[in-house]
Amino acid sequence: MALHKVQVVVLPRAVLLDPEGETIGQAAHRIGFTAIKGVRAGRAFILEIEAERSEEALNYAGELAQRLLHNPVVETYEVSLLSTTNTKK
């Protein structure tokens, strides 16, 4: 068995306005970060999942994201593997 650290990033759909992202982008320009051309603000979740294979952990996290972590009407999500640690002794 292994412990997989998985990240789920939830963002507003690209076709929707993102007032928080716009505000962050404007503030960044005001303080000199003029190379910033766009900001999307969202939420990130770091999950530690025990599973035999990384594919199982990613699928598990994806199902959690689909059922609990995001609103499919206004948000999208992306799942990625950050690390894996073998827990066998």
Side-chain angles (χ1 to χ4, degrees), residues 16-81:
L16 298 177
L17 295 176
D18 181 2
E20 184 177 9
E22 287 290 322
T23 300
I24 293 168
Q26 292 166 2
H29 277 236
R30 279 195 306 275
I31 63 172
F33 290 90
T34 57
I36 303 294
K37 300 302 177 196
V39 177
R40 301 294 291 174
R43 300 182 315 279
F45 302 90
I46 307 296
L47 310 172
E48 292 181 351
I49 300 171
E50 193 171 62
E52 289 290 331
R53 298 183 346 265
S54 58
E55 295 81 15
E56 292 174 25
L58 289 168
N59 289 339
Y60 199 76
E63 186 170 333
L64 179 68
Q66 181 67 36
R67 295 177 58 187
L68 178 67
L69 301 179
H70 97 296
N71 177 346
V73 175
V74 295
E75 296 173 318
T76 61
Y77 68 90
E78 184 176 310
V79 178
S80 58
L81 182 66

